Amino acid sequence: MNKINVAVFFGGDSLEHDISVITGSQIIKALDKSKYNIYPIYIDGNDKWWHIKNFHDKNDINSKNKKLLTICSGENYFYFKNLLKTKIKIHVAVLALHGGKGENGSISGILEAMHIPYTSSNVLSSAITLDKQITKLILQANGYNVLPYIAIQKKDKNLNTSLKSFIDNHSYPLIVKPCNMGSSIGVTLVKNDNELQKAIKLVFNFTDTAIVEKGIENVLEYNCSAMRIGNKILVSDIEKPIHHDEILSFADKYGSKQGCKFDKSGSKGMQSLSREFPAKIDNELESLIKQTTEKAYIDFKCTGIIRCDFIYYEGNIYLNEINAIPGSLAFYLWATKGYNFKSLLDEIIKESIHSCLTN
């Protein structure tokens, strides 16, 4: 049997670059070497694509043996150095990119132009789910519970007036976060006007739009994953993240305030998160979260593996975010469903190739 040529994309011009590198290394390690020829593709901060042949972890990013890639629209080949050098036909791409151009559909669009199947949501779905404001507008329009929020622009001349009206209606605490980023970067719980202004200023260092939403102290959060296999949408079991700060912080997710947690076998990524899994919740709440995850997968026309993040407050469940390319591809949520990372990757690769052939 001929092996499938798989390109694994990671890195990118994003503040979530390092998390993407971890996810990429986990995927490369888990892929079945008897089935796939693996081509690690690192995207640097200047959006250049590099093939790093023997990539294992972030220490290999600066390898002297990496080769710059050239691509042509309409061709599913990667050319090393220039069009006169070695070329490799790519059968499928596994995306391990978080945030920025990697998760907003830009890379998906390039791969579509090259006729290369890929293991995540399409251009439109990816662009929508990375934008928290657009996501919330669609959720509201389709009857989902959404926490009260306001989106504010850096150039808004009536910024303080808009904030005062929102605070008068909802009071402190509030959550402030960037509109189009994940991994808890720039997310702050604020309890007064001074903290609010500082948090907004922080967000505007990252992006031009901030989301200010009702904050909940000692919040209960739940995460659930979904993927499509053939005509069925499968839903994982539910995790309850355990956080040590008032909100789920970057350190809670990745294990260290200085960076991401590593063990002897490599980086752990989202496995570093302390969790209760499966979450010890009643059947009614479990069913509601799983049904909502499946519905979101359909309504947002997702493909590949997603993770939905929920907030539970006063007897209601609120869908807070949809992650089109979750950290570690959320493989740790599928263990109770009979999937390890290797078999999970087999499924999404097979599904992406099949979907490309039938569309």
Side-chain angles (χ1 to χ4, degrees):
M1 182 181 72
N2 292 330
K3 290 185 180 182
I4 296 172
N5 292 340
V6 178
V8 180
F9 283 80
F10 56 93
D13 182 13
S14 165
L15 287 175
E16 297 168 73
H17 170 279
D18 290 355
I19 308 307
S20 172
V21 172
I22 290 175
T23 299
S25 66
Q26 290 177 313
I27 291 169
I28 290 165
K29 181 179 178 181
L31 281 167
D32 190 337
K33 310 304 185 290
S34 69
K35 295 180 181 179
Y36 309 114
N37 295 313
I38 303 166
Y39 296 89
I41 309 299
Y42 170 66
I43 303 179
D44 68 18
N46 296 312
D47 294 323
K48 292 182 178 180
W49 295 10
W50 300 88
H51 174 231
I52 306 177
K53 185 175 182 180
N54 295 313
F55 175 80
H56 298 96
D57 57 41
K58 65 178 182 179
N59 296 318
D60 296 320
I61 287 174
N62 297 315
S63 169
K64 293 181 180 180
N65 297 320
K66 66 183 181 183
K67 296 180 180 179
L68 186 64
L69 298 185
T70 302
I71 60 175
C72 290
S73 180
E75 294 188 17
N76 56 357
Y77 288 91
F78 287 168
Y79 294 87
F80 295 153
K81 293 188 178 181
N82 59 59
L83 301 184
L84 300 178
K85 296 291 183 179
T86 305
K87 67 177 183 179
I88 298 293
K89 183 174 183 178
I90 299 299
H91 299 118
V92 63
V94 179
L95 301 188
L97 298 157
H98 304 314
K101 301 180 187 73
E103 200 171 357
N104 72 2
S106 297
I107 302 300
S108 302
I110 294 172
L111 293 171
E112 287 186 15
M114 296 175 68
H115 306 294
I116 296 176
Y118 53 90
T119 60
S120 64
S121 294
N122 65 24
V123 176
L124 178 61
S125 179
S126 297
I128 289 172
T129 53
L130 191 62
D131 189 306
K132 294 179 175 65
Q133 181 183 10
I134 302 301
T135 296
K136 287 178 181 293
L137 288 171
I138 294 174
L139 290 172
Q140 288 174 308
N142 286 276
Y144 294 79
N145 289 330
V146 176
L147 288 171
Y149 75 97
I150 182 174
I152 57 175
Q153 305 290 328
K154 191 174 185 177
K155 60 184 179 181
D156 188 354
K157 295 180 180 179
N158 299 311
L159 176 60
N160 290 329
T161 301
S162 301
L163 285 172
K164 184 179 184 307
S165 177
F166 185 78
I167 294 167
D168 287 344
N169 288 323
H170 300 291
S171 70
Y172 289 104
L174 302 173
I175 293 286
V176 182
K177 55 189 174 184
C179 184
N180 54 2
M181 297 176 64
S183 294
S184 300
I185 296 174
V187 180
T188 310
L189 178 73
V190 300
K191 299 180 180 180
N192 55 56
D193 290 352
N194 185 48
E195 291 179 356
L196 175 61
Q197 293 300 327
K198 288 181 179 179
I200 292 173
K201 184 178 181 180
L202 174 64
V203 167
F204 285 160
N205 287 328
F206 300 136
T207 183
D208 291 337
T209 305
I211 299 292
V212 180
E213 67 184 17
K214 180 178 177 61
I216 301 167
E217 296 181 277
N218 301 315
V219 64
L220 289 175
E221 298 183 56
Y222 297 101
N223 299 332
C224 187
S225 179
M227 65 176 173
R228 182 187 295 277
I229 302 296
N231 294 322
K232 293 184 178 180
I233 296 173
L234 306 182
V235 179
S236 74
D237 276 324
I238 300 162
E239 72 168 351
K240 176 185 175 184
I242 298 172
H243 42 91
H244 304 94
D245 299 319
E246 292 178 294
I247 59 174
L248 190 63
S249 67
F250 185 93
D252 287 320
K253 283 187 175 183
Y254 299 107
S256 169
K257 293 186 178 180
Q258 288 72 44
C260 305
K261 183 182 286 185
F262 291 81
D263 64 11
K264 293 180 180 179
S265 62
S267 50
K268 287 188 173 184
M270 282 291 291
Q271 282 181 288
S272 296
L273 176 65
S274 297
R275 60 172 55 85
E276 180 183 278
F277 182 75
K280 298 174 183 177
I281 53 179
D282 61 50
N283 292 337
E284 183 178 356
L285 180 57
E286 178 184 0
S287 178
L288 178 59
I289 292 174
K290 289 184 176 181
Q291 288 174 9
T292 305
T293 300
E294 181 177 356
K295 185 176 187 300
Y297 195 96
I298 296 169
D299 288 346
F300 284 81
K301 301 185 184 303
C302 298
T303 51
I305 297 173
I306 69 165
R307 191 189 75 235
C308 289
D309 298 351
F310 295 89
I311 287 175
Y312 184 66
Y313 177 62
E314 293 186 345
N316 293 312
I317 197 75
Y318 297 85
L319 179 48
N320 201 37
E321 292 186 22
I322 301 171
N323 297 274
I325 307 179
S328 304
L329 298 190
F331 79 89
Y332 48 87
L333 296 180
W334 291 93
T336 51
K337 297 296 183 180
Y339 292 100
N340 57 26
F341 206 178
K342 180 183 291 186
S343 61
L344 198 68
L345 289 167
D346 285 343
E347 292 288 4
I348 63 172
I349 287 172
K350 182 170 60 178
E351 179 66 21
S352 64
I353 293 173
H354 175 76
S355 296
C356 186
L357 292 174
T358 54
N359 288 335

